[in-house]
Amino acid sequence: MSKPLKKWSQKLLLILLTASLIFASSIVNANASVSSDFKVFVMGPLEKVTDFNAFKNQLIALKNNGIYGITTDIWWGYVENAGENQFDWSYYKTYADTVRAAGLKWVPIMSTHACGGNVGDTVNIPIPSWVWTKDTQDNIQYKDEAGNWDNEAVSPWYSGLTQLYNEFYSSFASNFSSYKDIIAKIYISGGPSGELRYPSYNLSHGWTYPGRGSLQCYSKAAITSFQNAMKSKYGTISAVNNAWGTSLTDFSQISPPTDGDNFFTSGYKTTYGNDFLTWYQGVLTSELANIASVAHSCFDSVFNVPIGAKIAGVHWLYNSPTMPHAAEYCAGYYNYSTLLDQFKASNLAMTFTCLEMDDSNAYVSPYYSAPMTLVHYVANLANNKGIVHNGENALAISNNNQAYVNCANELTGYNFSGFTLLRLSNIVNSDGSVTSEMAPFVINIVTLTPDSTIPVTFTVNNATTNWGQNVYIVGSTSDLGNWNTTYARGPASCPNYPTWTITLNLFPGEQIQFKAVKIDSSGDVTWEGGSNHTYTVPTSGTGSVTFTWQN
C-alpha cells in the first residue's frame, strides 16, 4: 500500500470510528437494561399549588403517560413557620389527597433547606426564622472563606440539629400515617437544594458558573471542629508539625486554608490538604449518619419504605489543568467512595443528578466539565457497593431530544432504579394537556419501566420505498410521538420486502390513532395516505396490528 493511500485509509477509519461513536451516543443503549424495580417520577412545582382541580388534571396526565409518581418538597418554612413544634399540615394533606385521587404514588422530600438563591429557584422559602434564634450565628450558620454567612441550611456544626429534624420528621410521620398507601419512598435533605453538600456555589454570594465556589468552614464552630479533629488524629502539636512540615505551637493555630486559590492549585496535594479535605467531607458524612438515623427511627415503623438522599452533580472543573475537582472539593465531595460508604452504612438510597449532560466541554476552558464521566464513576461505585441509586436531570430539558437519550443511556447502562424529571410544568400544561416535551420523555425514559407497557407488533404490508427510506410509526399518544415525526418510532425491520415490522412498547388499554411514515436519510417525511388507523392496546399480554400502506 502506498503511503498516501495508507494515510487516506487511516483518516477514513478515524472518521468512521468517530461517526460510530457519535451515533452510539445518540441512541438508547439496547444491550443493557434498567434495574428490575425501575420507576419514573416527576418533580412537583416549587411554588404552592393554588388550584387543586387543575393540579389533579396535571397529575392524571402523568398517570396516563405511564409515570409512577410525583416528588414533593415538604417545606419546613411552610409547615413549622409559626414557631417550634407549631405545625400546620393542612396544605400537604390536600396535596396528598390530590395525588391519591389521580392514582399516583408520592415521594415527600423533607426539605429542611431554604428555597431561593440557587439555579432554578423560582420562589423564596426561607427556613423558619425562629430556628436562627436557637444559637449564635457562629454555631448555627455556615461562614465562607470570604466572610459571607449562609442561611440556606442549618450548619452541621449546630449541636441541636438532629433534635430539630426529629421534631419535624416525627410530626410528619404521625400526621401522614394514613397516606402510607401512596408514599413510595421518603427523601431527606442534607443541605442546599436538598442535596448533601455545602452551600459552596450560591448565586446570591456572587458565584458564577463555572467558578469553584467557596469553602464553608470559617465559623468559630467549624474551626474548632477542625482543630479538635486534628488533635484527635495526631495527639500532639509536634506530631502535626512532623506531618505537615509546620512549626505550630498550639492546636489553636490550626485553621482552614487562608488562601483558597493557592490551596486548590497546590495545597490540596499536601498532607495538610488531605487532612483538611478528609475532615471537611467527614462533617457531611457524619451529618448524613445522624439525620438518617433520625429518619429511620421516625419513618420505618410507620411507612416501611426506602429512605434516600441526594448527591449533587458538581461536574465543572473536573479536568481543570490548574485546580482539578476544586468545585467538588468546595462542595464537600473529596472521596466519593467513602461518601457512598455512609449511604450503605445508613441504609439509604442515593439520587445523583446531571444524567442529561455530556462531556463535550471536558477539556474546554473555562468549564472543564465532565458530567457523563462523573455519572459513570459514581454509578459504578454505587453498583459495586450494592447501593440503590436513582437519577435526575440537573437542568430543565427543552427541545433537546439528545438530553433524554443521554439520560436513557445512563439509566440502562448503569442499573439505575429510578429517574425523576425536573419538572412538572415542563411536560404538562396548567390545563392538563401535555407539552411537546412529553413525547421524547415518554419514548426515551418512561417506556424503560419493566412490566408497565405492552409489546405491540405493527406489520405494514406493501410499503415500497426508495433507496435510503425507512418505515416508522407515529401516532396520537406520547409513546407514539404525539404526531411529531421527530419522535416517530422506528425504523421498522424489513425481512420480507415490502413488508415491514416493528414491536413497540405501549401503555396498556390506551386507544391510539396512528399512521406509518417513510423517512429518508435527509429527514424528509412521506406520510401514509387515507384515514388514521385505530387500535386499542391490550391490558395484558401482547398485541399485534396488521395493515396495508395507503397511498
Side-chain angles (χ1 to χ4, degrees):
M1 180 183 292
S2 67
K3 288 184 178 180
L5 182 58
K6 184 177 182 181
K7 287 182 178 179
W8 181 87
S9 64
Q10 288 173 336
K11 289 181 178 179
L12 178 60
L13 180 62
L14 180 60
I15 291 170
L16 291 173
L17 179 60
T18 302
S20 66
L21 290 172
I22 292 172
F23 176 75
S25 69
S26 66
I27 59 174
V28 174
N29 186 345
N31 297 318
S33 61
V34 294
S35 174
S36 60
D37 60 353
F38 182 81
K39 297 289 188 296
V40 177
F41 300 84
V42 171
M43 297 183 197
L46 279 175
E47 63 277 2
K48 274 190 172 182
V49 174
T50 56
D51 184 340
F52 278 101
N53 288 327
F55 183 54
K56 180 181 177 181
N57 290 334
Q58 289 181 300
L59 298 185
I60 290 172
L62 296 184
K63 177 70 174 179
N64 289 342
N65 281 279
I67 291 146
Y68 186 69
I70 187 165
T71 68
T72 306
D73 288 291
I74 309 296
W75 292 112
W76 193 18
Y78 285 161
V79 173
E80 203 178 356
N81 187 54
E84 188 169 7
N85 282 312
Q86 298 180 43
F87 295 97
D88 181 359
W89 295 105
S90 56
Y91 167 77
Y92 287 109
K93 287 186 176 181
T94 303
Y95 193 111
D97 288 337
T98 308
V99 174
R100 178 186 276 155
L104 289 179
K105 294 297 183 179
W106 192 36
V107 180
I109 305 167
M110 308 309 295
S111 298
T112 47
H113 57 283
C115 182
N118 279 295
V119 176
D121 288 352
T122 56
V123 293
N124 183 51
I125 307 169
I127 288 173
S129 58
W130 58 265
V131 171
W132 306 121
T133 68
K134 299 286 290 184
D135 209 326
T136 65
Q137 192 173 44
D138 256 313
N139 287 335
I140 202 169
Q141 289 189 1
Y142 298 93
K143 185 180 183 182
D144 72 14
E145 57 193 272
N148 297 307
W149 293 97
D150 190 281
N151 58 4
E152 293 179 79
V154 177
S155 159
W157 294 287
Y158 171 53
S159 61
L161 181 69
T162 54
Q163 177 61 33
L164 292 178
Y165 287 8
N166 182 71
E167 293 166 359
F168 184 44
Y169 294 175
S170 295
S171 183
F172 178 85
S174 62
N175 278 274
F176 287 86
S177 59
S178 61
Y179 292 92
K180 60 184 178 182
D181 59 305
I182 64 168
I183 293 177
K185 49 187 176 180
I186 298 173
Y187 264 69
I188 55 178
S189 168
S193 300
E195 298 162 336
L196 180 68
R197 65 173 176 87
Y198 290 101
S200 56
Y201 49 97
N202 188 328
L203 292 171
S204 63
H205 289 160
W207 173 82
T208 57
Y209 179 79
R212 67 169 173 85
S214 299
L215 293 167
Q216 300 290 316
C217 52
Y218 294 84
S219 66
K220 290 180 181 178
I223 294 171
T224 299
S225 171
F226 182 40
Q227 293 168 347
N228 289 338
M230 294 305 97
K231 183 181 293 186
S232 176
K233 177 175 182 176
Y234 289 106
T236 66
I237 198 64
S238 75
V240 172
N241 289 330
N242 287 335
W244 292 359
T246 53
S247 54
L248 305 174
T249 60
D250 190 80
F251 280 99
S252 63
Q253 294 175 312
I254 291 176
S255 72
T258 55
D259 182 342
D261 287 339
N262 182 64
F263 175 78
F264 285 113
T265 54
S266 60
Y268 74 96
K269 300 175 184 178
T270 64
T271 302
Y272 164 81
N274 179 69
D275 284 339
F276 168 74
L277 289 172
T278 299
W279 163 80
Y280 190 60
Q281 177 182 292
V283 174
L284 285 187
T285 55
S286 294
E287 177 190 20
L288 183 66
N290 291 335
I291 62 175
S293 177
V294 173
H296 282 300
S297 68
C298 292
F299 299 145
D300 286 357
S301 62
V302 178
F303 302 109
N304 191 31
V305 295
I307 296 173
K310 182 160 63 171
I311 298 176
V314 183
H315 52 82
W316 56 100
L317 301 185
Y318 191 90
N319 294 314
S320 169
T322 56
M323 51 175 65
H325 303 285
E328 296 160 89
Y329 295 167
C330 280
Y333 304 151
Y334 179 51
N335 185 323
Y336 289 103
S337 183
T338 57
L339 188 66
L340 265 61
D341 284 342
Q342 189 59 61
F343 275 80
K344 183 68 173 179
S346 293
N347 190 23
L348 293 174
M350 180 200 72
T351 289
F352 198 77
T353 62
C354 72
L355 269 66
E356 83 279 17
M357 299 179 178
D358 60 34
D359 281 359
S360 57
N361 286 322
Y363 295 97
V364 177
S365 177
Y367 312 105
Y368 300 108
S369 164
M372 189 174 286
T373 298
L374 182 58
V375 169
H376 295 173
Y377 179 66
V378 174
N380 276 328
L381 282 174
N383 278 317
N384 292 338
K385 295 175 186 293
I387 298 169
V388 173
H389 53 289
N390 306 276
E392 292 181 357
N393 54 306
L395 302 174
I397 303 172
S398 179
N399 194 29
N400 183 359
N401 187 63
Q402 186 60 48
Y404 296 108
V405 172
N406 290 346
C407 290
N409 281 328
E410 305 301 342
L411 296 169
T412 55
Y414 293 88
N415 197 41
F416 280 82
S417 290
F419 180 80
T420 303
L421 181 78
L422 169 72
R423 183 172 301 273
L424 175 66
S425 60
N426 224 48
I427 56 173
V428 184
N429 294 310
S430 58
D431 62 359
S433 61
V434 300
T435 75
S436 60
E437 297 296 326
M438 181 65 88
F441 173 52
V442 167
I443 289 169
N444 286 290
I445 297 175
V446 179
T447 55
L448 296 175
T449 309
D451 303 324
S452 69
T453 55
I454 301 295
V456 177
T457 300
F458 292 78
T459 302
V460 190
N461 292 322
N462 199 33
T464 59
T465 56
N466 298 322
W467 180 257
Q469 283 184 320
N470 283 292
V471 173
Y472 296 73
I473 302 295
V474 66
S476 59
T477 54
S478 296
D479 46 7
L480 289 176
N482 283 333
W483 294 118
N484 186 339
T485 56
T486 301
Y487 310 118
R489 306 294 299 275
S493 61
C494 188
N496 186 23
Y497 184 82
T499 297
W500 301 71
T501 63
I502 184 171
T503 299
L504 303 175
N505 292 326
L506 304 178
F507 298 129
E510 67 179 349
Q511 296 179 339
I512 62 172
Q513 296 184 41
F514 66 93
K515 280 190 171 183
V517 294
K518 300 171 186 176
I519 304 177
D520 65 20
S521 57
S522 299
D524 293 330
V525 179
T526 301
W527 284 82
E528 182 186 11
S531 302
N532 297 337
H533 305 287
T534 60
Y535 180 72
T536 300
V537 180
T539 56
S540 61
T542 62
S544 64
V545 55
T546 301
F547 61 99
T548 300
W549 175 275
Q550 304 175 74
N551 291 313

